[in-house]
Amino acid sequence: MNITTRDEIGWGPTAAASAHPTKGIVIHYDGSNQGLAGKPHAACLAYWRRTRTFHMTSPDRKWRDIGYSYACCPHGEVLEGRGLGREQAAQPGGNTTWYSVTLMSGPAELPTDVQIEAVRELRAYLMSKGVGGGVKGHRDFISTTCPGGRLYGLIKDGTFSKAPNEEDDMPADEIYRAAWEQDRMPVPYGSATNGKWKPASVLVDHGVKLRQILAAVEAQGATIRELVAALAQRDQEIDVDALVGRIETAIEGITVRLDVPDSA
C-alpha cells in the first residue's frame, strides 16, 4: 500500500485530538462528481488540499483539520488526513470509534479497481494496528445520502470487506440487480418489482440503442454516396470512390457514447 503522508502533502502535524478508533472504517464521498479518475494524480493531491482548506475555513465547519482520517484516490493511492490515533470530524456518533475514509468521488462515479484495492489494503493495515474489520457508510451514523447508492451498495455486498488481492466473484447478474436496487436505473422493459424486469435488460436496451445509431449512420452514408455521385455527373474530375472512402473512414471513426442517467 502506498500512503502519501501529511509531510509529503506539505502539512504539519494535525491539531486533532487524540483518540483510539477500534471498530473499523466508514466510507464517505464528496457529494459532487470530481472526475479524478480521468486526470493525473496531481489533481487528487490538489483536491485533497482544497478539501482541507474548506473544512478548516468554511463558516459552518472551521474544524481543526481535514475531517477525514484518509482518502483512497482512483489511482490507487492512499492519502493521509488526520491519520492514526486521531478523532474524526466526519461521522458524528462515530468520530472517536471509527476511522473515516473518503473515495474523493461523487454520486455518478464508480470506484476504480485499484481504488477498491486501496480501501482493502488500508483496512488490512488498520487491522494490523488492532482496529476491527467493520465497514460502514456515513449514512449509518446520521441522515445523509453519503456515500451514495453505488458505494453503499459495495459496502453492503462486502466488496470493501474482502482481503487485499481477493478476487471478486459476484456474478454479473447480481451486479446489475444491485445497480438497479441502489440507483433505480431506468429500464424500458419493466421494473424489478413487476416480474418482467431482468438485469440483462439494461444491456439489451443499450444494444437496441446502439443498433439504431449504427443504422442511422449507415443511412447517412448512403445519402452522402448518392450526393457525391450526383456531383460527379457534373464534374467528371471528382474521384467518387476516393471521396466516399474518406467519408466512410470518418464515419467509422465516430465514437458512440451511451450514458445511463443517474437518479441516486
Side-chain angles (χ1 to χ4, degrees):
M1 178 180 67
N2 296 320
I3 297 183
T4 303
T5 66
R6 293 178 62 91
D7 287 342
E8 292 173 314
I9 297 169
W11 302 341
T14 181
S18 296
H20 186 53
T22 59
K23 294 188 175 181
I25 61 174
V26 180
I27 303 295
H28 294 258
Y29 78 162
D30 184 88
S32 60
N33 300 325
Q34 300 300 316
L36 295 173
K39 299 177 182 179
H41 180 57
C44 299
L45 295 172
Y47 165 88
W48 199 226
R49 295 186 180 101
R50 289 195 307 273
T51 301
R52 182 173 187 257
T53 298
F54 174 71
H55 284 178
M56 295 180 71
T57 62
S58 176
D60 61 344
R61 286 177 174 79
K62 292 190 175 181
W63 297 337
R64 296 179 180 181
D65 200 348
I66 193 169
Y68 307 114
S69 308
Y70 298 95
C72 292
C73 88
H75 303 95
E77 299 291 325
V78 176
L79 308 181
E80 186 179 27
R82 296 192 176 197
L84 286 172
R86 297 291 178 172
E87 182 180 2
Q88 318 299 295
Q91 61 269 333
N95 283 329
T96 60
T97 52
W98 294 78
Y99 281 100
S100 52
V101 183
T102 179
L103 271 67
M104 307 167 69
S105 60
E109 297 176 293
L110 284 170
T112 63
D113 290 343
V114 292
Q115 195 171 20
I116 292 173
E117 186 65 14
V119 173
R120 292 172 175 172
E121 291 178 348
L122 175 60
R123 174 175 172 270
Y125 166 75
L126 293 173
M127 290 174 68
S128 74
K129 301 293 184 181
V131 179
V135 182
K136 287 185 176 293
H138 187 186
R139 65 176 66 177
D140 291 322
F141 294 84
I142 63 172
S143 178
T144 177
T145 59
C146 182
R150 288 170 166 81
L151 294 183
Y152 196 67
L154 297 178
I155 293 170
K156 301 303 288 185
D157 69 22
T159 295
F160 293 126
S161 299
K162 293 184 177 183
N165 299 315
E166 183 177 347
E167 292 187 4
D168 292 314
D169 53 5
M170 186 177 186
D173 191 68
E174 292 183 20
I175 293 174
Y176 298 137
R177 183 166 294 281
W180 166 269
E181 292 173 350
Q182 292 299 326
D183 296 316
R184 291 293 185 261
M185 291 171 17
V187 180
Y189 299 101
S191 71
T193 58
N194 69 7
K196 296 180 180 179
W197 182 89
K198 293 183 178 180
S201 298
V202 177
L203 296 182
V204 172
D205 185 39
H206 286 185
V208 170
K209 286 186 172 65
L210 182 57
R211 286 191 292 273
Q212 290 172 344
I213 292 171
L214 292 177
V217 171
E218 292 174 0
Q220 288 295 325
T223 300
I224 293 172
R225 178 179 289 275
E226 292 174 358
L227 177 60
V228 171
L231 290 173
Q233 293 179 357
R234 298 174 56 185
D235 188 344
Q236 297 301 319
E237 294 183 0
I238 294 178
D239 187 339
V240 177
D241 291 335
L243 182 55
V244 171
R246 291 174 60 187
I247 294 173
E248 289 178 341
T249 299
I251 291 174
E252 291 175 355
I254 294 175
T255 298
V256 177
R257 177 180 175 183
L258 298 175
D259 287 329
V260 177
D262 178 70
S263 57

